[in-house]
Each structure stands twice: as C-alpha cells, then as structure tokens.
Amino acid sequence: MAPSAQRYLTHPFTLALAGGMLGLAANQLNLVVASDIALRPGSAFSLLSAFCLGPWWGAFTALVASSFPLGHVNGPFSIGATVFEAFAAGWLIHRRHWRPIPAVAVYWAVIGLPLAYIFAAVRGADQTGSQWISAAESPLNSGLMALCALPAA
C-alpha cells in the first residue's frame, strides 16, 4: 500500500467516520432487552472513538452512529445524549487523565441521568416508576457499551 493511502486510512476522520457507519449499522439491530428497553450497540463505537481519538472525534462518531432515530420518540434526546456523552467521556479521559468507566459513570450520574429523567417526565411517562425506567435505559446501555469498548481501547 502506498504511504499516502495508508495516511488517509489511518487519519482520525476516516477512523471516526468508519466507526460512525459501523455504529449506525449496529443501531439498526432491534435488540429489545425488556418490554420498553432497547439495547443500542452503536454507542460502543462512539465511546471507542472517544476513548482512542479524543472528544471531538468521539462526538463526530456518535453523531453519525446515532443519526437514525430522528423519527423515534427518543430521537432528539438520544442523539444529544450520545454525542455529549462521547465528548464528555473523551474530554475526561484525554484532558483530565481519567479511566474510561469512571468517566462515563460520572457523566451519567451528574448530567445524563438528571436530563434523562426530565426528558422522560416532559415526554409524559405515566407513572413515576416508568419515568425512572425510561430514564435509566440510556445510562445502563452506555455502561454496557463502555464495558464492550474497553478491551479495544
């Protein structure tokens, strides 16, 4: 392979775009864990990109990977939460030298879960219990995907 071709294949933009496309394909799988809780495996690619390439490339990968649920009920929140999660985790890892799992956990404990609860309440979940179940879906999915991305990082 020519050196110029190798440079383009290992450029962060190429890697982030490829991760985003793989994440988009993985998100097309309909993996329902419980009655209303779906697993989104595409966030593993955005977290891996954030872990390895940094916060901006992780956010770009997350934007590409999570672009499919625009018509979905959680669409805008899912996209925003996934992009901001990848950026926050990448920032904590690269700028503050945190470990990946605590970075993702702190994001969801401080920012993500309160916003998810507010979004579930505004969206109109019927009971307080269903609001918490709805709000807990994203952090649980994110924690599982961070564990999946960890060995590759």
Side-chain angles (χ1 to χ4, degrees):
M1 182 178 305
S4 62
Q6 185 176 5
R7 184 176 71 227
Y8 289 119
L9 290 176
T10 58
H11 190 275
F13 175 77
T14 308
L15 296 173
L17 184 62
M21 297 304 284
L22 287 171
L24 183 64
N27 279 336
Q28 298 300 322
L29 300 172
N30 190 14
L31 303 173
V32 178
V33 178
S35 61
D36 289 337
I37 299 176
L39 189 66
R40 292 178 316 278
S43 62
F45 294 99
S46 59
L47 288 173
L48 179 63
S49 180
F51 295 167
C52 296
L53 301 175
W56 291 106
W57 293 116
F60 173 70
T61 303
L63 184 65
V64 173
S66 64
S67 61
F68 91 95
L70 285 174
H72 190 265
V73 173
N74 291 338
F77 175 75
S78 295
I79 293 171
T82 306
V83 169
F84 193 62
E85 172 198 15
F87 181 83
W91 186 80
L92 287 172
I93 290 166
H94 287 272
R95 301 285 188 256
R96 299 287 176 208
H97 307 291
W98 284 36
R99 299 284 215 180
I101 300 299
V104 171
V106 164
Y107 164 76
W108 280 106
V110 173
I111 298 169
L113 191 57
L115 286 178
Y117 181 77
I118 290 168
F119 185 77
V122 169
R123 193 181 70 215
D126 295 335
Q127 304 158 346
T128 306
S130 65
Q131 289 172 353
W132 279 111
I133 290 171
S134 242
E137 176 184 356
S138 293
L140 292 175
N141 179 67
S142 177
L144 183 61
M145 293 305 114
L147 287 173
C148 292
L150 193 59

